[in-house]
Every structure is written in structure tokens, then in C-alpha cells.
Amino acid sequence: MIIRLTPAYLRALEQAASIAVRQAATLPALEAVRVEYLGRRGKITTALQTLPHLPLEERRGLGRQANEVKRRIEALLIERRRSLPTSDRPIDRSLPVGRPERGHLHPLTLFSRRVMEIWRSFGYDVYEGPELEEAKTNFDDLNVPPDHPARDVQDTFFIQDHPELVLRTHTSTVQIRWPKSYGVKPPFKVVEIGKVYRHEATDATHESMFFQCDGVLVDRQVTMAHLVTTLKAFMDRLYPGKPSRIRPSFFPFVEPGIELDLWWKQPSKPGQWLEILGAGLVHPNVVRSMGLKPNQWQGFAFGMGLDRLAMLEYGIPDIRLFYSGNLEFLQQF
Ligand code: FA5
């Protein structure tokens, strides 16, 4: 068909196109409208092709007008496309939905629960104390002297304008809080698992926030034999047959003090001892802080690094992975 391009013809085309766009109820129908008007052989395209045959004085005005009509039709098509459903299939609301991805417990939570179960089976109570702790409970009551390096701002997170508060540096605070805050009378045995904070550089086995599990038992005539037997029984339940060693050590809140290491062997690396816990017989000054008489009551206490134990359990080479938020790592558990 030979068409004569005129302003009236362009107006008619635009009107027809906008009605067709509005009436298109599906994406394929809308595509057909686009082809009809803007396709290679479409009505607007064909009209534009007639331009060179027009007298020069008509050509310029009509060319501009035709291009404007083209742009307006394109804009209408884009707007209509956004408002149409992306699929022609009717929506069946009774169909089962795809399974949403589910999260799961963090490996340290899973591991803490296992550790807690073992202590519960040994008859221990479970306590949960505050992470924002009084400096007195974190240090003084535990016989840590005022000039001890742990009290330095280089090692401990203090709270600005509140020198009496710290982010607890260990869960050994359970030794004071359990008998004092709860008025629990001896004999008692209790464990606490929780986060602790230290202002220190991190590496594969050190974090500035990590988990500890502390325990304390108070009774009459408690000896190192009770402590060592308890720790061995715990390790045998957690890691039957894993090589361990006990060394003498020093902590202000126990006397005598020991440390326990476990053998850590990673693939293609030489094995090494990894320090897991500190322990000892509760210092008489700490027994007094509990509000008890040291000539009547004795106790043992221990504090272990849960992250390090979990590293051995799951074969994790670097403690920082626990806190990396790396989904590839976390989804393995
Ligand atoms: C203590 O925190 C003592 N409160 C433990 C204790 C309790 C001793 C009761 C005596 C009686 P230490 O700073 O060594 O001690 O920490 C105990 C364990 O926590 C370590 O053996 C180690 O397994 C773990 N640990 C210590 N520092 C870090 C760290 N920066 N990152 C990860 N784990 C750590």
C-alpha cells in the first residue's frame, strides 16, 4: 500500500497504536502491537521510509513529528510491559511453593550444647551471667591484683566514663556470681558458657571475642585429684582417646594452677599442642569473696576455650572463620 505521510495520518497512527497498546492483555499480544507499529515493516517505520520522496519543505517538519510519535509509542509500550504479568499461565495458588532456604544453628552453638550436655550429665547446674561486668567481679573478687597486666586498657575493654565496668575477660566470674547473686549455699557445682572479650591481636588461634566455658565446684576437702579426674572424664566424653597433657601454670584465682593442652594435628602440617584450658584449686581469697570460710570449704575451678575445642572437633584451621559470616563455611554444619 502506498501511503501519503501527513500530520493527520501520523495523529491517526498514534491514536490507533495507543488503543492497541492499552488493549494488549498479555506480553505476546503487546509484542505483536510493537511489531505492527515499530517493527521493520511496521506502520511507523514504513511511514518514515516515505520521507525522502516528499518535497524538501514538508520533509523536515514531518520527519521530526514522525520521530516524536515513534518515541511516544515506545514509551507507552514500556509502561504497559511493566504492568503485565510476566507469564501467560494462570496462577494456581494451590500449587506447593518452592522450599525456602532455611538457616541453621551456628557451629559454636551446636558445639556449646554438646559441651553443656556433658556437664549436665555430671550433675552441674548451668548459669548465664552478664557480658558487661563489674570490674570488681571480673578482677578484685577473683584475687587479681590492681597492677595485674590483664587490668590494663591494652588488654581489657573498659567502658568510657565507667571505669567500674568492663566487657568480661573470662567466664570465671561464675565463681563469684553463682554463690553471691543467687545465694546458693555449698556444696554446689555449676558451669557457664558465654562470650568473653579481650583487647588483643587476632591470629589463627586468638580472637578478641570468643567463647569460654568455666566451671566451679565447692565442697569439703576438695583436692587436685578431684579436679584432674573431672577434667579427664570430660575430655574422654568429648574426645575419647585424644592425647592430652597437663602442665603447672599460674592464675591469681587458683592455687595451685594447671593448664591442659590437646594434641592438634592438621592435614599436611606437623602436629602441635594446643592450650585448651586453665584450672586449679580455688584460692582462699576467692572462697572469701564467695562469702564462705576457706577453712570449711574448698573448691576447684576451670575455664576452657570453646572455640579452640570446636576447631579440633570440626577440623577448622582458623578461629576467625567462626565469626567471618562466610556462608560457604557455615553451610557445612
Ligand atoms: C582464663 O581465662 C582463666 N579464667 C581460666 C581459668 C579458670 C583458670 C578457672 C583457672 C581457673 P586463659 O586466659 O588462659 O585463662 O584462657 C582460658 C582458655 O581460653 C585458653 O586456654 C584458651 O583455650 C582460650 N583462649 C584464651 N585466649 C583466647 C583468645 N584470644 N582466643 C581464643 N581462645 C582463647
Side-chain angles (χ1 to χ4, degrees):
M1 183 181 76
I2 308 289
I3 56 152
R4 170 106 179 97
L5 189 57
T6 64
Y9 179 72
L10 280 175
R11 274 198 302 279
L13 263 189
E14 185 173 0
Q15 207 178 1
S18 64
I19 291 170
V21 167
R22 244 180 290 135
Q23 286 177 344
T26 61
L27 284 177
L30 192 65
E31 175 60 9
V33 174
R34 188 194 68 76
V35 172
E36 184 183 346
Y37 288 89
L38 304 178
R40 228 160 22 100
R41 303 225 178 100
K43 290 177 178 163
I44 298 283
T45 320
T46 316
L48 280 166
Q49 280 163 0
T50 65
L51 272 177
H53 308 294
L54 293 177
L56 194 58
E57 61 277 11
E58 281 178 41
R59 219 186 281 171
R60 206 173 294 139
L62 275 173
R64 201 185 58 233
Q65 212 179 328
N67 276 318
E68 281 167 7
V69 168
K70 187 178 167 191
R71 267 199 299 279
R72 283 199 292 273
I73 294 175
E74 278 168 350
L76 285 176
L77 284 164
I78 289 171
E79 201 183 306
R80 184 71 180 143
R81 194 171 295 132
R82 284 206 195 104
S83 68
L84 287 176
T86 49
S87 163
D88 282 347
R89 277 187 296 142
I91 296 169
D92 181 351
R93 290 176 204 279
S94 66
L95 283 176
V97 288
R99 265 177 67 179
E101 237 182 81
R102 293 183 61 182
H104 60 77
L105 295 176
H106 191 275
L108 284 174
T109 308
L110 295 169
F111 188 71
S112 300
R113 289 187 176 180
R114 226 178 102 203
V115 167
M116 202 74 93
E117 265 325 296
I118 298 178
W119 287 115
R120 277 210 184 94
S121 75
F122 289 176
Y124 281 68
D125 279 311
V126 173
Y127 170 75
E128 200 179 326
E131 290 171 30
L132 182 60
E133 185 54 278
E134 291 169 20
K136 180 175 179 300
T137 311
N138 195 85
F139 295 127
D140 304 80
D141 291 346
L142 285 170
N143 199 40
V144 180
D147 57 350
H148 194 279
R151 303 181 75 134
D152 199 280
V153 285
Q154 301 304 322
D155 289 282
T156 297
F157 292 107
F158 284 86
I159 308 301
Q160 198 166 5
D161 302 329
H162 288 278
E164 76 284 8
L165 294 175
V166 295
L167 288 179
R168 68 178 172 193
T169 61
H170 51 183
T171 42
S172 301
T173 45
V174 67
Q175 295 179 43
I176 306 302
R177 286 203 161 264
W178 181 247
K180 281 194 101 170
S181 313
Y182 283 77
V184 182
K185 299 277 176 257
F188 59 74
K189 45 187 178 187
V190 60
V191 286
E192 169 167 22
I193 290 185
K195 286 195 208 100
V196 302
Y197 302 83
R198 293 188 190 177
H199 192 196
E200 62 177 83
T202 65
D203 60 25
T205 55
H206 292 83
E207 252 298 355
S208 48
M209 184 200 79
F210 58 100
F211 280 81
Q212 280 192 337
C213 170
D214 262 76
V216 57
L217 173 148
V218 173
D219 207 327
R220 307 228 187 245
Q221 293 169 0
V222 178
T223 67
M224 285 298 278
H226 295 121
L227 170 62
V228 171
T229 309
T230 303
L231 292 178
K232 279 199 172 297
F234 172 79
M235 289 302 168
D236 278 349
R237 280 282 294 280
L238 195 62
Y239 300 128
K242 196 162 193 71
S244 64
R245 71 173 186 191
I246 286 177
R247 298 174 281 112
S249 187
F250 173 78
F251 301 91
F253 27 93
V254 288
E255 182 56 41
I258 57 169
E259 279 182 319
L260 183 144
D261 306 328
L262 286 179
W263 187 246
W264 187 29
K265 175 75 186 82
Q266 300 186 76
S268 69
K269 280 194 180 169
Q272 65 181 95
W273 290 108
L274 184 62
E275 181 204 308
I276 294 296
L277 64 85
L281 293 185
V282 180
H283 194 286
N285 287 347
V286 178
V287 176
R288 281 188 203 96
S289 300
M290 294 175 181
L292 304 172
K293 293 198 172 100
N295 58 354
Q296 289 178 7
W297 298 102
Q298 298 84 47
F300 65 67
F302 53 84
M304 55 187 79
L306 267 196
D307 306 62
R308 290 193 188 172
L309 276 173
M311 284 167 74
L312 294 180
E313 166 74 7
Y314 300 125
I316 293 167
D318 194 314
I319 191 171
R320 290 166 290 196
L321 280 166
F322 285 128
Y323 305 99
S324 63
N326 179 335
L327 284 182
E328 242 174 83
F329 167 73
L330 292 171
Q331 277 162 355
Q332 298 174 85
F333 298 92

